[in-house]
């Protein structure tokens, strides 16, 4: 269908622009009439219209023009049905973009929904800008989100499992004892695609082994069989769920958390030694306090001067040597992790990994008077197979952690969610946003007048 230029610019199929009034404040009033063949047939019997019964004026809400508001005045006809015995005696014109009794144009709903789904705007903000209510913007978002989220997940080779807190924990005071007791501490367990581009595959409320197994059990058997590696934090709950539901998958622990544990052990040892030595917590001016950030750094990232500072500060006294031993244990554990193909450029062999792990255990055994090292070695021994598998496969949970950040950001933008289902929907859309195509193109011949530069 060929349109005049003004109607083409206005861009609602089936409406012809008759007149445009621009106000001094920038707002625009567009007067339109119907220009659509299907608009004048009876919805009851399908017969063509007989004669015009009356004219009615409607003002459907439409998109802005830039920053300015646009008022659409649609002068509709109410037709008398052409079939004499039709129960529906009269009907008004209707268009696909603006169905009867609809106060908004379809494209306004679509844009409000797309802003929430595609741009991460909250429904409240989208509603405020487009002057629609929160429920309308929210519903428009659901209409766009649900078809995308309902699609079954494609096979995943490397699966990541992680948790994030839903809101903050709630406490209550015990009337008798006056102590605090947890009233509610709500969590979401999330499943991530670490090898592909599906980002967040799904979430489940709670963080018990049963909650995790429940989500895995819902997936088809073929999907579960395709999972080769599962990456988790050092969390025995998830390990048991994975062993139950994915017995053939290789379980790996995230190496960041392994290093974090070792760094924490060094810090704990330092704090304990300082308290024993001075009878108080460390403070600025203590020699141990001056090297505390250096101890958290990687050995290879220390300059020779910094390394000498650590050795001079801690090497002289027995107390300092205790901290130094913990620090060396951390570096020996990191030696195990540095066999990863990503660091060395070649695939590691299991024997070499186990050898370095033995060196770490040996060091911890020789310093078994340091309680932090004893407990670190015990934890590492408990997760030894998963740690070795992580070094051999090179799979980490880093992607899960980065997507968890998006999940938390979404909750902040929304000033926290009251409805868990709504939170899961919004978080999942936020996480898969980058891997989705949001642009949509239409091609339509819109103008009758050819561009004439002369
Ligand atoms: Zn009829």
């Amino acid at each position: 269908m060929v349109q005049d230029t003004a109607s083409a610019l206005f861009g609602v199929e089936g409406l012809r622009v008759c007149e445009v009034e621009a106000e001094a404040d920038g707002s625009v009033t567009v007067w339109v009439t119907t220009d659509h063949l299907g608009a004048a047939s009876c919805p009851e019997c399908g017969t063509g219209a007989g004669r015009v019964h009356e004219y009615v004026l409607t003002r459907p809400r439409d998109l802005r023009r830039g920053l300015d508001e646009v008022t659409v005045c649609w002068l509709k006809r109410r037709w008398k049905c052409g079939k004499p015995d039709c129960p529906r005696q009269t009907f008004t014109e209707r268009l696909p973009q603006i169905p009867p009794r609809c106060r908004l144009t379809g494209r306004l709903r679509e844009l409000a929904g797309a802003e929430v789904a595609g741009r991460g705007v909250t429904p409240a903000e989208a509603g405020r800008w487009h002057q629609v209510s929160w429920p309308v913007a929210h519903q428009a978002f659901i209409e766009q989100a649900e078809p995308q989220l309902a699609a079954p997940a494609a096979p995943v080779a490397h699966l990541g499992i992680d948790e994030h807190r839903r809101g903050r924990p709630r406490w209550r005071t015990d009337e008798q004892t006056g102590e605090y007791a947890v009233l509610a501490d709500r969590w979401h367990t999330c499943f991530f695609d670490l090898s592909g581009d599906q980002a967040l595959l799904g979430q489940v409320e709670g963080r018990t082994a049963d909650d995790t197994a429940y989500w895995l059990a819902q997936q088809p058997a073929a999907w579960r069989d395709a999972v080769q590696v599962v990456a988790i934090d050092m969390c025995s709950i998830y390990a048991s769920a994975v062993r139950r539901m994915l017995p053939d998958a290789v379980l790996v622990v995230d190496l960041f958390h392994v290093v974090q544990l070792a760094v924490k052990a060094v810090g704990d040892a330092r704090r304990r030694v300082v308290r024993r030595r001075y009878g108080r917590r460390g403070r600025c001016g203590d020699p141990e306090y001056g090297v505390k950030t250096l101890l958290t750094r990687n050995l290879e990232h220390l300059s020779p001067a910094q390394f000498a500072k650590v050795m001079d500060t801690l090497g002289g006294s027995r107390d300092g040597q205790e901290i130094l031993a913990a620090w060396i244990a951390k570096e020996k554990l990191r030696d195990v992790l540095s066999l990863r193909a990503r660091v060395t450029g070649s695939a590691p062999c299991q024997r070499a990994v186990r050898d370095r792990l033995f060196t770490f255990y040996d060091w911890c055994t020789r310093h078994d008077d340091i309680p932090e090292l004893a407990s670190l070695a015990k934890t590492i021994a408990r997760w030894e197979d998963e740690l070795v598998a992580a070094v051999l496969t090179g799979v980490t949970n880093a992607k899960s952690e980065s997507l968890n950040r998006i999940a938390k950001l979404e909750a902040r933008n929304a000033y926290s969610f009251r409805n868990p289902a709504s939170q899961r929907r919004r978080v999942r859309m936020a996480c898969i946003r980058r891997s989705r195509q949001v642009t949509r193109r239409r091609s339509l011949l819109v103008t009758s007048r050819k561009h004439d530069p002369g």
Side-chain angles (χ1 to χ4, degrees), residues 41-48 80-91:
S41 57
C42 173
E44 188 79 28
C45 62
T47 317
K80 191 109 182 133
C81 180
K83 196 174 168 191
D85 56 345
C86 176
R88 180 81 176 245
Q89 296 191 345
T90 62
F91 59 91

Side-chain angles (χ1 to χ4, degrees), residues 95-280:
L95 291 171
Q97 268 286 326
I98 315 167
R101 294 187 187 84
C102 198
R103 305 274 296 115
L104 313 172
T105 58
R107 62 184 186 177
L108 177 63
R109 277 182 74 85
E110 199 181 343
L111 184 65
E115 285 194 332
V116 184
R119 290 185 48 224
V121 173
T122 59
E125 186 53 43
R128 210 172 292 135
W129 177 247
H130 294 295
Q131 299 192 339
V132 296
S133 66
W134 186 92
V136 168
H138 180 66
Q139 191 59 37
F141 161 65
I142 290 177
E143 282 162 18
Q144 299 206 7
E146 286 299 337
Q148 296 183 47
L149 300 183
V156 168
H158 300 166
L159 177 71
I161 304 178
D162 203 0
E163 73 211 335
H164 66 85
R165 200 177 234 136
R166 198 181 103 61
R168 58 189 167 84
R170 309 280 160 170
W171 305 84
R172 74 175 166 79
T173 333
D174 195 309
E175 304 239 325
Q176 261 103 50
T177 61
E179 285 180 1
Y180 283 115
V182 179
L183 198 61
D185 190 11
R186 298 153 304 171
W187 293 79
H188 267 148
T189 297
C190 303
F191 301 83
F192 302 94
D193 178 8
L194 301 179
S195 51
D197 58 359
Q198 299 180 84
L200 179 55
L201 298 160
Q203 305 122 293
V204 70
E205 233 171 313
R207 54 165 182 169
T208 64
D210 286 342
D211 294 328
T212 314
Y214 169 72
W215 188 89
L216 291 170
Q218 282 180 320
Q219 307 310 311
W223 187 91
R224 290 202 301 270
D225 291 343
V227 177
Q228 296 162 10
V229 182
V230 183
I232 57 172
D233 300 347
M234 291 163 113
C235 169
S236 52
I237 292 169
Y238 292 152
S240 81
V242 170
R243 288 195 190 107
R244 198 192 318 167
M245 295 310 302
L246 306 169
D248 298 330
V250 177
L251 195 61
V252 305
V253 289
D254 185 45
L255 296 182
F256 166 81
H257 290 90
V258 174
V259 177
Q260 190 187 37
L261 204 66
V263 170
K264 184 173 171 293
V266 179
D268 288 347
R270 180 182 57 78
R271 277 184 286 271
R272 181 178 53 78
V273 167
V274 164
R275 192 163 280 280
R276 188 180 65 201
R277 186 169 178 184
Y278 304 104
R280 54 162 172 79

Side-chain angles (χ1 to χ4, degrees), residues 339-361:
L339 283 171
R340 281 167 11 250
R342 222 183 127 183
V343 181
T344 59
S346 63
C349 83
Q350 190 173 150
R351 176 96 185 268
V353 180
R354 299 251 179 213
D355 278 354
R356 288 206 182 174
L357 210 49
F358 176 77
T359 317
F360 162 75
Y361 288 141

